[in-house]
Each structure stands twice: as structure tokens, then as C-alpha cells.
Amino acid sequence: MSAEAQVGLGSKLGRMRRGFRGWRGQRPFWGGLLTLLGGIPIMYFPYANLTLGTLTIRMATTAGAGSLIIGVLLVVLGLTMWFQPQSRVFAGVAAILLALVSLVVSNFGGFVMGFLLALVGGALGISWVHEKPQKPVRRRAKAPDTGGYAGGTPQTAAGAAPEAAPEAAPEAAPGAGGTTDDLSGTSPSNGTNGRHRAD
């Protein structure tokens, strides 16, 4: 195989891997996988034959049809978590309930293996939350420094006029009788303490 073909194959595999990673990140992948895997032992063991030498042991029980139904439903719920992620809460709750029922119906939940896998898979499906991509923060471009004043108005780095520094309010010019005519009520010299004076 030539070097160009190897590079082309490697880039194709890399694209497929990135695509699968993006697909996997948009759904409760591991919850669906564990739920799907939990259904397999639950529906398999009631129909399995175990051979020990010349002795054949059949695991079939009277609830073989119930085990098959529970196993198939768990597989379907696992696929639902993959292909309908908006139904993940329903699928997770149903998987947990079916796992609990399989303890009684299907050989202790497929000899506890299927029970544990379906239980953990359902819990992962319920708890999965889709991460929304964060929007990049836009920063305003700084205007070049103009060296203080531009057009008679002091400018800041962003081009806006700075806020005036708080200073003491100038007292009004004294009126007749040497009193101030400050009606704002903020001047301590008029003795109003916040009340307006009626003239």
C-alpha cells in the first residue's frame, strides 16, 4: 500500500471517528448501550441449554415468554435512548422498572447480570443532560489612544466620555438677606435638612 493511500485511509478513519464522537456526545450513549446489553442475558438464559458432559441442563422456566418480552423491550429502550434522545427520561424509567420486574420473572434478572446492566443503563439515561455549546464572548475592540482629548471632550480607551467625578454641589449664590436660595434641600447652610423651603 502506498504512502498516499495510507494517509487517505488514516484521514478517512479520523473523520469517521470524529463524526462518531460527535454523534455519541448528542445522546445518552452509554446508558443506551448498557440497557441494550442488559436485555440480552435476560432474554437468552430462559432459552439456553447448558451441557455438562453428557448431562444437558435446560434453563427454561414457565415465564420464558415474559423473559423474552422484557429482554426485547430493554433492547428497544436502549435503541430509543440512542435515536430518540428527547425520550431518554421515559426510556430510563421504563428500563429501571423492567429490570426490577426481571428479578422475579427471568431467573433473577438473567442471573443478576442483566438486572444490573439495565438498572445502571436506565439511571444513566435519566441523568444525561445535553450540553449546549457555549457562545464565544465577544470583546469590543479598543480604540487607539488619542492622547487625552478628542474634539474638546475627554475620551477613554473605548471612545466614550468618562463619567464626571462626584464633587461637592456648588452652593447657590446668596440671595437677599445673605441666605442661599438652594431649594434642593442638600445644602447644610440653609438649615432645611432635606425639606424644601417655601418662599
Side-chain angles (χ1 to χ4, degrees), residues 35 74 77 81 87-100 118-119 121-127:
T35 304
L74 285 172
L77 289 171
M81 289 183 201
S87 304
R88 63 184 171 73
V89 175
F90 165 75
V93 170
I96 290 172
L97 291 176
L98 286 172
L100 292 172
L119 196 69
L124 287 175
I126 292 172
S127 63

Side-chain angles (χ1 to χ4, degrees), residues 113-129:
M113 290 185 296
F115 164 72
L116 289 177
L117 287 170
L119 196 69
V120 173
L124 287 175
I126 292 172
S127 63
W128 181 84
V129 178

Side-chain angles (χ1 to χ4, degrees), residues 6 12 16 30 34 46 58 65 85 97 99 104 136-137 146 158 170 179 185-186 191:
Q6 287 180 353
K12 186 176 181 181
M16 288 174 60
W30 296 110
L34 292 179
R58 187 171 178 121
L97 291 176
V104 179
V137 179
T146 56
T179 61
T186 58

Side-chain angles (χ1 to χ4, degrees), residues 6 20 43 78 97 124 131 136 144 155 158 195:
Q6 287 180 353
F20 175 71
M43 68 179 162
L97 291 176
L124 287 175
E131 272 190 35
Q155 300 289 319
R195 292 172 301 206

Side-chain angles (χ1 to χ4, degrees), residues 151-173:
T153 308
Q155 300 289 319
T156 59
E163 295 181 6
E167 297 178 0
E171 294 187 10

